[in-house]
């Protein structure tokens, strides 16, 4: 803007012509007589005040718009992320709880099988097929070798236990979050 004692030349950015109307309205207002006998504000100060007020109003509107948009985005993010994240988290938690139940069931079944010598012996189906009489005799005398199946079941019981521990830690992490 170029301001003299009697004229003001205001150049606005392209597309910002809406700034001129409020500025002109403020400049053409008649000064209010406050009764104090003060002289009217000089033209250049009225122009400066009108420009400053126009800029403050414009930036306040822009700032408020940004605040509203940020709030809208933040609410959207909170709603979107929270809803999606919570749904995913709850779905994962349910899945983990389900798998934990299955793993606990497997661990219990493996323990129960290993506690019953007869059940362990009956797992040797090939030996039973090869010589059923000898196998029945060993089974009856409780002399059937079960160390192979016990090692196999023990190693898998450890694997299932590791999976159980890993998922329990993951569940604790989800609950802590």
């Amino acid at each position: 803007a170029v301001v003299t004692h009697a004229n003001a030349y205001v150049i606005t950015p392209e597309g910002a012509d809406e700034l001129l109307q409020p500025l002109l309205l403020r400049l053409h207002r008649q000064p209010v007589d406050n009764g104090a006998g003060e002289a009217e504000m000089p033209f250049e100060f009225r122009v400066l005040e009108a420009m400053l007020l126009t800029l403050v109003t414009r930036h306040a509107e822009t700032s408020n718009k940004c605040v509203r948009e940020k709030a809208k985005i933040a609410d959207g993010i909170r709603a979107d992320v929270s809803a999606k994240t919570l749904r995913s988290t709850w779905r994962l938690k349910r899945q983990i709880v389900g798998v934990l139940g299955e793993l606990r069931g497997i661990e219990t079944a493996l323990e129960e099988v290993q506690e019953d010598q007869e059940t362990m012996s009956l797992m040797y189906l090939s030996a039973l097929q090869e010589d059923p009489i000898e196998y029945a005799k060993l089974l009856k005398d409780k002399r059937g070798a079960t160390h192979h199946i016990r090692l196999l079941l023990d190693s898998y019981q450890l694997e299932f236990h590791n999976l159980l521990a890993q998922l329990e830690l993951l569940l604790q992490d989800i609950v802590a979050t």
Side-chain angles (χ1 to χ4, degrees), residues 8 11 17 20 22 37 41 50-51 54 61 72 76 79-80 99 102 105 109 112 129 149 157 170 172 176:
I11 301 169
D17 293 342
L20 290 177
M41 189 184 318
M51 287 174 44
T54 300
E61 289 169 357
K72 182 179 172 184
D80 190 42
V99 173
E102 292 171 8
E112 289 173 358
Q129 178 67 33
I149 193 69
Q157 189 173 10
L170 184 59
Q172 287 176 359

Side-chain angles (χ1 to χ4, degrees), residues 31-50:
V32 178
D33 185 9
N34 60 9
E38 292 181 12
E40 180 183 328
M41 189 184 318
F43 174 76
E44 60 274 14
F45 293 160
R46 286 193 351 246
V47 170
L48 180 60
E49 182 184 28

Side-chain angles (χ1 to χ4, degrees), residues 124-163:
Y124 286 91
L125 300 177
S126 296
L128 178 62
Q129 178 67 33
E130 288 175 15
D131 191 352
I133 297 169
E134 181 63 28
Y135 188 77
K137 188 176 171 186
L138 290 173
L139 192 59
K140 183 179 177 187
D141 295 338
K142 295 188 179 185
R143 292 183 301 141
T146 59
H147 62 277
H148 289 105
I149 193 69
R150 190 170 303 280
L151 285 172
L152 182 66
L153 293 177
D154 279 345
S155 66
Y156 278 95
Q157 189 173 10
L158 284 172
E159 291 292 328
F160 287 119
H161 184 75
N162 286 336
L163 290 173

Side-chain angles (χ1 to χ4, degrees), residues 2-9 43-45 47:
V2 177
V3 180
T4 66
H5 72 289
N7 296 305
Y9 304 96
F43 174 76
E44 60 274 14
F45 293 160
V47 170

